[in-house]
Amino acid sequence: DDDRLEADVKRFFEVHAPDYAKNIRVHIASGKYKKAHVEMRCTIPKDVVHELNKRTFVENGVERFITVDDAHGSPSMRCPRWIARYCRGRNLRFTHSCWCKHEALPTANAKYYLQEIDQWSAKGTEIWEKFMQSAPFHDGSYPTIVKISAIQNHTLSRLHEEYRGYLRNKNKEEPVVRELYHGTNNNILDVLYQHGLQPPSDTKASEMCPVSGGKGLCTTLCNNDCQYCTEKHDWNKCHMFGLGIYLADLSQKSHRYCSMPQQLRGGRRRFRMVICSVLGRSLEVAGHLTEKAAMHDVVNVRALGETLKEMIEPQKGAMLPTRHDVEGADILAVKGLGPYAARPGFSVINSEYIAYHPYQCLPKYEITYEV
């Protein structure tokens, strides 16, 4: 089983690389093939890695030959972390970076257009009523919906369906579908409508960068090969539950994430919020962060397998998900604890969801509103 395999991997390093085996972490990834991701506390020299590839690995008493490689890859190597047309490490420079050779983005030539929806139509009324259910917003304002538009991008729709097939094959069941709100920097919505919602980078956006500069961003839109965006992004009351795509079932919640609105006369502001189709099993967590920055650098759900108990203090009466639960999950669901049980900066009042793959979330509708 996974626990036995984890113990065998740790033993392998203790025997054959004892100088580097102290406090290593092992995560067993179960897919078509099983992989052991080993997180070292210090850099391991290349010659030691070469020697490890010559050693015999003993799994549950059976001798095997294995491949030991740098999980970050190299520019001459085809990416082994390419999952459903996307590599999570492509825009990471400091945490779980990937330096492999990647294919061009499947959305490189994608086109989109917005088709206005009559607010008095059945769909328009449905969107309007649900959006207004959580008004007034946290600042006491009542939004006025100006326009509702359907977002049409045939390339993204196809990739979303491919991701649905990937989850169907992975989980052996039809994926759960949710419609959730997404609030973000309104200056980059054109990028999201072409390429899909993007899990954020771990690197700051440089004002000198022609792609990411001048937009009011805290993290870059670029991949990890950008010559301008090279400074690490650290916790600054942001990305509370990891470097993911934040979504909510309440418009009031997502409004908190909307920024860079259009400024109107009389102090009014015009915002745009997105409604997305979101796929996958959820991993519900109910509790408080052990430290405010405890989960900031989390880049996917599976990374929580061994560390969740160090990051989350469960709510009274609640249990943390097991490692088996983590392995089977596709999206993180952080339970809102309400205004009396939540601790500011450590837990949330209203629930939120965090996804980590761009094609897991399809932007379907744009709501333009003023406050």
Side-chain angles (χ1 to χ4, degrees), residues 185-305:
N185 184 314
N186 283 188
N187 284 337
I188 63 168
L189 288 175
D190 57 335
V191 176
L192 305 190
Y193 295 165
Q194 178 182 350
H195 298 292
L197 277 59
Q198 300 296 308
S201 172
D202 59 357
T203 308
K204 287 184 179 180
S206 168
E207 288 302 304
M208 300 293 292
C209 179
V211 174
S212 300
K215 292 181 170 66
L217 298 169
C218 64
T219 58
T220 180
L221 294 173
C222 305
N223 291 327
N224 56 20
D225 56 356
C226 177
Q227 61 178 321
Y228 299 99
C229 304
T230 59
E231 187 178 348
K232 189 178 189 303
H233 165 72
D234 292 314
W235 178 84
N236 184 24
K237 299 180 181 179
C238 60
H239 304 116
M240 190 172 176
F241 299 103
L243 296 170
I245 302 162
Y246 283 71
L247 306 124
D249 51 13
L250 295 176
S251 59
Q252 180 196 93
K253 176 78 175 182
S254 288
H255 176 68
R256 291 174 175 267
Y257 293 91
C258 289
S259 63
M260 307 304 288
Q262 179 185 354
Q263 300 294 330
L264 305 175
R265 290 181 179 179
R268 298 277 289 177
R269 296 167 296 159
R270 180 171 292 177
F271 290 90
R272 291 182 290 166
M273 189 183 296
V274 188
I275 299 176
C276 304
S277 167
V278 184
L279 302 171
R281 290 179 181 174
S282 63
L283 180 78
E284 184 174 280
V285 175
H288 315 277
L289 293 172
T290 53
E291 298 178 14
K292 288 188 175 182
M295 291 185 65
H296 180 269
D297 291 337
V298 171
V299 297
N300 56 51
V301 178
R302 283 186 169 183
L304 296 171

Side-chain angles (χ1 to χ4, degrees), residues 3 13 50 59 63 69 71 80 126 145 167 200 245 266 289 294 324 339 363:
D3 290 334
F13 279 90
H50 289 169
E59 179 189 357
E63 293 187 351
D69 205 350
E126 176 191 330
I145 294 179
L167 290 182
I245 302 162
L289 293 172
H324 177 74

Side-chain angles (χ1 to χ4, degrees), residues 15-236:
V15 171
H16 299 298
D19 293 340
Y20 308 96
K22 186 176 180 181
N23 297 324
I24 64 171
R25 281 182 171 165
V26 179
H27 170 239
I28 306 300
S30 301
K32 185 176 181 181
Y33 306 103
K34 281 202 173 184
K35 294 182 181 180
H37 297 286
V38 182
E39 183 180 335
M40 318 295 292
R41 294 301 180 188
C42 58
T43 302
I44 184 168
K46 186 183 294 185
D47 60 330
V48 176
V49 175
H50 289 169
E51 283 299 315
L52 289 173
N53 279 278
K54 300 175 185 177
R55 304 299 181 185
T56 302
F57 176 69
V58 180
E59 179 189 357
N60 198 20
V62 179
E63 293 187 351
R64 301 184 185 279
F65 287 102
I66 60 171
T67 299
V68 181
D69 205 350
D70 183 356
H72 298 300
S74 63
S76 61
M77 178 181 176
R78 186 176 180 182
C79 180
R81 294 157 62 181
W82 191 253
I83 298 174
R85 313 285 295 275
Y86 173 74
C87 171
R88 180 65 187 97
R90 194 173 187 174
N91 74 343
L92 300 174
R93 187 182 286 265
F94 301 98
T95 48
H96 296 266
S97 55
C98 181
W99 304 106
C100 292
K101 179 181 180 181
H102 293 98
E103 299 176 16
L105 286 175
T107 55
N109 298 312
K111 307 291 183 184
Y112 77 88
Y113 64 92
L114 301 180
Q115 183 174 2
E116 187 167 354
I117 295 176
D118 182 356
Q119 292 189 44
W120 301 106
S121 67
K123 189 62 186 179
T125 301
E126 176 191 330
I127 292 171
W128 187 93
E129 288 180 346
K130 186 178 178 183
F131 181 86
M132 296 299 294
Q133 278 177 2
S134 60
F137 287 164
H138 66 283
D139 55 4
S141 62
Y142 278 86
T144 301
I145 294 179
V146 176
K147 185 168 64 174
I148 301 173
S149 302
I151 304 162
Q152 304 289 346
N153 182 325
H154 299 302
T155 302
L156 273 185
S157 295
R158 174 174 53 81
L159 292 167
H160 190 60
E161 287 306 307
E162 288 180 11
Y163 193 81
R164 188 194 304 271
Y166 161 75
L167 290 182
R168 187 185 298 120
N169 182 61
K170 169 180 167 287
N171 298 328
K172 309 305 179 188
E173 64 183 22
E174 192 63 28
V176 175
V177 184
R178 299 173 179 82
E179 278 204 347
L180 299 171
Y181 297 104
H182 178 66
T184 189
N185 184 314
N186 283 188
N187 284 337
I188 63 168
L189 288 175
D190 57 335
V191 176
L192 305 190
Y193 295 165
Q194 178 182 350
H195 298 292
L197 277 59
Q198 300 296 308
S201 172
D202 59 357
T203 308
K204 287 184 179 180
S206 168
E207 288 302 304
M208 300 293 292
C209 179
V211 174
S212 300
K215 292 181 170 66
L217 298 169
C218 64
T219 58
T220 180
L221 294 173
C222 305
N223 291 327
N224 56 20
D225 56 356
C226 177
Q227 61 178 321
Y228 299 99
C229 304
T230 59
E231 187 178 348
K232 189 178 189 303
H233 165 72
D234 292 314
W235 178 84
N236 184 24

